[in-house]
Amino acid sequence: MNIGIVLYPTYGGSGVVATELGKGLAERGHHVHFISYARPMRLNEFHENISFHEVSFSAYPLFEYPPYDLALASQLVDIIRYQKLDLVHVHYAIPHATSAWLANQILAEDGKQVPFITTLHGTDITIVGSDPSYAPVVTFSINKSDGVTAVSNYLKEETNRRFNIEKEIAVIPNFIDLKRFRRTEKSHFKKALCPNGEKVLVHVSNFREVKRVRDTVEIFHRVLKAGIKAHLLLVGDGPDRQLVENRCRQLGICGNVRFLGKQEKVEDILSIADLFLIPSGSETFGLAALEAMSCSVPVISSDIGGLPELNLHGETGYLCSLGDVEAMGNYAVRLLSDEEEHSRFSRNARKRAEFFEIEKVVNQYESYYLEIMSRSEPE
Ligand code: GMT
C-alpha cells in the first residue's frame, strides 16, 4: 500500500505512535509518506520505503495566524494526486481530520479521493476538541472520516459521550517495541547519578499542566521523608518546568531532583529506574507508562482515563485517586521498601507490556486499512 500519515512531529504522544506505526508499516514493504510541518522526532534514519513531506505555509503579514489547516489540505491534494496514495491516516483530529476531508472534497472533483482514517489520541477529544471553538468541526470531521480509531476503550467512550458520533469507533491500542524498550545493563550510568545506590524515580512528560508534574515532586518528597535515599529524574520540558523547580526549592530537595530535559534514549534512563510516576489529570492511554513497564519498571499512576486499562492495580503498580499524593507517596514507599513485591511488580510490568507488542498492533492497523479500503471501493 501507498500510505500517507499525517502527524505532529513531537517527542511524545501521538507523534511517536504515528512515526513508529509508519516505520513498522515500511518494514512490511508498504510505502509510507509522513506529512507534517517538521521532521518527526523519531524519524531519524533513512528507510527506502519512507518519504517525508514538509508542509510549508506562507506567513503573509495579513495573517496573524497562518492557516496551517489550509496549507496541509493543499499539500495533501498534491501528495495524494502525485504519489498516488491508497489511503491517508491522520493522527490527532485537529486540524488533520478536517484538512484530509477538505483535500478529499477537492479531489472528488476529478474522482480521485482516497479513504482517510482518523486516529483519536486524547486531548483532541478530552481538552482541545471539546472546547466550543472546535467542537462542531471535530464532530463533523470524525463523522466524515472513512474509519475512526481510538487508542483506548476509555477514549472511545469519551468521544461518544462528548460528541454526536455516527461512526463506529474501533479501539486499537498504542504499542511498544519490546526489543528497544527493555531493561539493559546501565550500572555506570546508575553509579554516576546515584553513587550511594539511591533509588531512582522517573517521570517523563511534556510538563503541561495536565501532567501534574508538581504531584511527582510531592510524592517524591514523601519518599524522602520516609527515610528512603532516592533521586527523582524528570525527563522532558514544557510550560510547568519552572513551577516544578520552584516547588523543589521550597521543599529543599533540589539536590535530589534532576531535570534532564528532552531525551532521545528514554530507555537508557528507564533501565536504571525503580519506579515510574504518572499522576496525570487526563491520560487516554499513557504511552510513557507503557515504555516504563516495558523496561520492567512498576508504575504509580492516577486512576483516570485509559490508565486502568494499562496499569493494573496491585500487579504492575498502583492506581490512586487524582491528586491523592499521600496515597501515591505511601505506595511508593511500600514498593521501594519491599524487595519481593518490587521484583514481582517489575516482572508483571514487563509481561503486561508484552500484550501491547508492536507487531500485533501493526497487524491490527493493517487489517483495519484493508477493511476501510474495501468498504470505500465503488460498487
Ligand atoms: O498529552 C500528550 O502527551 C500528548 C498527546 C498527543 O496526542 O500527542 O498524548 C495523548 O496521546 C498519547 C498517544 O496516543 C497517549 O498515550 C496520551 O495518553 C494522550 N495524552 C492525554 O490524553 C493527555
Side-chain angles (χ1 to χ4, degrees):
M1 273 183 262
N2 212 6
I3 303 159
I5 293 188
V6 180
L7 72 165
Y8 283 107
T10 45
Y11 268 96
S14 60
V16 166
V17 173
T19 312
E20 296 299 345
L21 169 63
K23 290 192 317 199
L25 291 163
E27 277 302 309
R28 290 168 179 221
H30 299 293
H31 198 114
V32 176
H33 298 260
F34 286 107
I35 303 154
S36 188
Y37 57 76
R39 178 182 64 78
M41 291 315 303
R42 288 259 183 114
L43 192 62
N44 41 19
E45 275 170 29
F46 170 79
H47 193 294
E48 57 183 339
N49 290 340
I50 293 180
S51 313
F52 169 58
H53 305 260
E54 186 168 316
V55 179
S56 52
F57 48 106
S58 102
Y60 188 66
L62 183 67
F63 301 142
E64 192 176 353
Y65 308 104
Y68 176 69
D69 34 12
L70 298 186
L72 174 59
S74 291
Q75 196 112 347
L76 272 173
V77 168
D78 186 75
I79 299 165
I80 294 168
R81 235 181 223 152
Y82 294 101
Q83 302 292 339
K84 303 201 176 349
L85 299 190
D86 297 306
L87 175 110
V88 171
H89 185 180
V90 307
H91 289 260
Y92 206 91
I94 308 170
H96 301 156
T98 316
S99 301
W101 173 78
L102 179 56
N104 257 344
Q105 290 302 106
I106 296 166
L107 289 161
E109 301 269 301
D110 45 0
K112 290 278 171 12
Q113 71 267 47
V114 294
F116 80 96
I117 292 170
T118 300
T119 288
L120 309 171
H121 278 272
T123 49
D124 47 351
I125 296 301
T126 56
I127 301 179
V128 197
S130 298
D131 189 285
S133 53
Y134 295 112
V137 176
V138 171
T139 311
F140 176 85
S141 309
I142 293 174
N143 282 330
K144 290 293 176 191
S145 304
D146 296 285
V148 185
T149 77
V151 298
S152 62
N153 288 305
Y154 162 80
L155 184 56
K156 172 181 176 169
E157 281 159 25
E158 269 310 285
T159 309
N160 284 323
R161 193 176 70 77
R162 288 170 189 251
F163 304 95
N164 188 9
I165 300 299
E166 296 148 10
K167 283 261 133 86
E168 177 57 26
I169 301 175
V171 175
I172 303 184
N174 287 336
F175 52 84
I176 192 82
D177 178 349
L178 294 164
K179 290 193 212 86
R180 173 177 169 187
F181 285 90
R182 68 192 164 86
R183 206 165 183 90
T184 53
E185 169 56 35
K186 290 276 175 276
S187 50
H188 58 290
F189 180 35
K190 166 112 194 197
K191 200 142 190 69
L193 283 167
C194 309
N196 303 310
E198 298 91 331
K199 301 285 185 194
V200 176
L201 290 83
V202 175
H203 169 80
V204 182
S205 80
N206 47 30
F207 282 54
R208 279 193 257 135
E209 198 185 343
V210 69
K211 301 291 177 182
R212 298 179 71 101
V213 190
R214 273 180 296 174
D215 283 5
T216 66
V217 172
E218 302 299 340
I219 298 163
F220 180 62
H221 186 222
R222 281 156 177 79
V223 168
L224 292 181
K225 277 201 302 190
I228 296 175
K229 300 211 173 352
H231 285 279
L232 173 63
L233 307 182
L234 295 172
V235 181
D237 211 337
D240 274 3
R241 153 80 208 249
Q242 197 53 52
L243 287 172
V244 173
E245 192 156 358
N246 290 349
R247 185 63 183 143
C248 293
R249 287 180 196 157
Q250 274 173 2
L251 293 169
I253 58 171
C254 290
N256 296 71
V257 181
R258 296 283 290 263
F259 288 84
L260 299 182
K262 290 177 181 164
Q263 294 283 332
E264 295 267 333
K265 299 203 81 191
V266 184
E267 62 274 26
D268 288 354
I269 298 162
L270 292 170
S271 283
I272 64 160
D274 296 296
L275 201 54
F276 188 81
L277 304 176
I278 177 165
S280 305
S282 173
E283 203 71 70
T284 54
F285 182 86
L287 188 61
L290 176 57
E291 291 180 347
M293 289 162 71
S294 190
C295 293
S296 308
V297 187
V299 171
I300 291 186
S301 70
S302 44
D303 63 359
I304 51 89
L307 285 168
E309 292 174 51
L310 174 65
N311 185 23
L312 307 179
H313 187 74
E315 266 183 59
T316 60
Y318 289 108
L319 294 118
C320 302
S321 305
L322 178 61
D324 191 349
V325 292
E326 202 58 51
M328 293 186 199
N330 288 340
Y331 279 130
V333 170
R334 173 173 163 169
L335 262 173
L336 294 171
S337 316
D338 184 337
E339 250 177 63
E340 187 282 321
E341 181 172 284
H342 185 272
S343 57
R344 183 158 39 87
F345 277 38
S346 301
R347 286 194 303 276
N348 291 346
R350 172 74 186 182
K351 195 106 210 94
R352 179 78 187 133
E354 286 168 8
F355 180 81
F356 299 94
E357 195 260 325
I358 184 166
E359 287 298 319
K360 283 191 231 170
V361 181
V362 175
N363 273 341
Q364 278 180 268
Y365 274 114
E366 221 176 13
S367 312
Y368 190 68
Y369 288 176
L370 292 171
E371 182 190 324
I372 295 301
M373 282 170 63
S374 70
R375 266 199 244 154
S376 309
E377 265 164 25
E379 282 159 19

